[in-house]
Amino acid sequence: MVDPTSRALRLLSLMQGRRDWAGAELAGRLGVSLRTLRRDVDRLRELGYPVEARPGVDGGYRLAAGAALPPLVLDDDEAMALTVGLQAAAAGAGAGMAEPSVRALTKVLPVLPARLRRRVEALRAMTVPAPPWSDGGPAVDPGVLVAAAQACRETERLEFTYTAAGRPPADRLVEPHRLVPLGRRWYLVAYDPSRGDWRTFRLDRMSGLRGTGARFAPRPLPAEDAAAFVRAGMDQFRTPTVVEAVVEAPAAVVRDRVGRWVRVTDEGPDRCRLHLETDDLDWPALVLGATRAEFSVVAPDELRERLAEWSARFARAVAG
């Protein structure tokens, strides 16, 4: 005799795979009577799944949309597709989706069967990513992102080797607090007990990241939030150039072409304004070229000079 819990999970899997089911067909697939099917449906409702019933002789059931997303039952292929898609989004392929994708991965990967984890890793290892030109930042292994996010959530000390700019690699032991995607990079905000202070680490400069299993008591961060802490640290060492330009194209079209790193504001049906901060004027030149539309530079004057250099270089290439 099939356990009622196992049967309820089987029922849930069937109802998530198809929108409408006749009661008799569902009962037949489960090998139970209609009365037992009704009890199983009631069990799903008690667990928060909004199952709608269609009365009548040919009545049936439908899994409706609810106020909150209930737990899902996925087969192997669906779990693979979900995990690989989340990894791609975490690596920056989806505009505005990197951070929530990391959070979702921290929930999916720990419960993924070992056989599927091996398949996901094999697929990732044998796939050459082709990120959009607008990504532009250093690549970060989704596995590193997930491991760091899990350590933040579980207040577990992290060990890793860190290579800061112009310095030799050094082993670090920290108490992770939050991950922050800023600009075109990922940062880990953590407390460093050996230095008795808070630090910011770029994830693309980490290697050998591993949890120690040792828990710690969270400390108050000396900033409004982790993003503010990262920004404050960056502002100590740089004065970014503010770029502003007007593009003769709809805002929605331009957003799709330039990616998530640029702020685009609507200024009419066929005009928008671009705002971004940068340390390198070649970057906004690339952005403006990718709009594939007429544009004018509002600021800074140095960008106009850089575009003139590019224009002359391209003109020579065409003449050649």
Side-chain angles (χ1 to χ4, degrees), residues 75-128:
D75 62 27
D76 285 5
D77 290 339
E78 292 167 343
M80 278 280 294
L82 174 64
T83 306
V84 172
L86 287 172
Q87 287 182 338
M97 295 303 293
E99 189 173 8
S101 296
V102 171
R103 294 200 306 268
L105 277 170
T106 62
K107 299 176 181 178
V108 172
L109 285 180
V111 298
L112 208 60
R115 67 180 188 282
L116 293 186
R117 282 200 298 271
R118 289 192 293 269
R119 289 171 60 187
V120 169
E121 177 57 28
L123 179 60
R124 187 192 65 80
M126 299 306 296
T127 300
V128 178

Side-chain angles (χ1 to χ4, degrees):
M1 183 175 181
V2 178
D3 178 80
T5 301
S6 299
R7 194 174 59 243
L9 289 173
R10 171 63 176 156
L11 171 60
L12 177 59
S13 179
L14 289 170
M15 297 192 71
Q16 287 178 341
R18 202 171 85 190
R19 182 170 176 79
D20 290 289
W21 285 90
E25 185 179 3
L26 264 181
R29 294 288 291 271
L30 295 171
V32 298
S33 65
L34 288 174
R35 182 176 180 180
T36 300
L37 173 64
R38 285 193 292 270
R39 287 201 299 267
D40 289 343
V41 167
D42 289 338
R43 185 175 293 111
L44 289 182
R45 288 169 175 160
E46 291 171 359
L47 293 173
Y49 293 92
V51 180
E52 296 178 348
R54 185 175 67 247
V57 177
D58 59 343
Y61 297 96
R62 167 190 296 182
L63 190 61
L69 180 67
L72 301 176
V73 176
L74 305 175
D75 62 27
D76 285 5
D77 290 339
E78 292 167 343
M80 278 280 294
L82 174 64
T83 306
V84 172
L86 287 172
Q87 287 182 338
M97 295 303 293
E99 189 173 8
S101 296
V102 171
R103 294 200 306 268
L105 277 170
T106 62
K107 299 176 181 178
V108 172
L109 285 180
V111 298
L112 208 60
R115 67 180 188 282
L116 293 186
R117 282 200 298 271
R118 289 192 293 269
R119 289 171 60 187
V120 169
E121 177 57 28
L123 179 60
R124 187 192 65 80
M126 299 306 296
T127 300
V128 178
W133 69 267
S134 60
D135 198 340
V140 176
D141 186 343
V144 173
L145 280 169
V146 172
Q150 287 178 327
C152 291
R153 187 180 64 181
E154 298 170 9
T155 60
E156 178 185 6
R157 287 187 173 182
L158 275 178
E159 291 180 331
F160 53 87
T161 301
Y162 193 70
T163 307
R167 298 181 185 178
D171 293 334
R172 307 299 288 268
L173 173 65
V174 302
E175 298 174 357
H177 176 69
R178 289 290 187 277
L179 286 175
V180 178
L182 190 62
R184 287 171 284 159
R185 298 180 175 90
W186 278 94
Y187 298 88
L188 172 67
V189 175
Y191 183 82
D192 189 330
S194 66
R195 291 162 173 77
D197 201 3
W198 289 86
R199 291 289 190 270
T200 299
F201 302 94
R202 275 176 46 177
L203 264 68
D204 60 290
R205 292 177 174 172
M206 293 180 181
S207 61
L209 186 144
R210 57 204 174 274
T212 64
R215 298 295 192 268
F216 62 89
R219 305 170 188 264
L221 181 69
E224 179 183 354
D225 55 36
F229 182 82
V230 175
R231 289 193 185 96
M234 295 172 63
D235 290 344
Q236 294 178 6
F237 302 102
R238 69 178 181 89
T239 303
T241 300
V242 178
V243 172
E244 183 178 353
V246 174
V247 179
E248 305 299 329
V253 173
V254 173
R255 286 192 192 98
D256 184 61
R257 290 175 178 172
V258 303
R260 66 188 186 280
W261 309 113
V262 183
R263 181 162 58 93
V264 181
T265 56
D266 197 339
E267 294 210 339
D270 296 305
R271 173 177 290 185
C272 62
R273 190 174 295 264
L274 269 61
H275 304 263
L276 63 95
E277 295 183 0
T278 183
D279 298 321
D280 182 0
L281 289 178
D282 286 339
W283 166 244
L286 282 169
V287 170
L288 290 169
T291 64
R292 303 199 295 274
E294 298 295 322
F295 64 86
S296 58
V297 175
V298 178
D301 292 336
E302 292 81 4
L303 178 56
R304 297 190 185 92
E305 296 171 2
R306 184 64 57 86
L307 289 173
E309 294 175 7
W310 280 39
S311 178
R313 190 178 305 119
F314 290 159
R316 290 193 295 270
V318 172

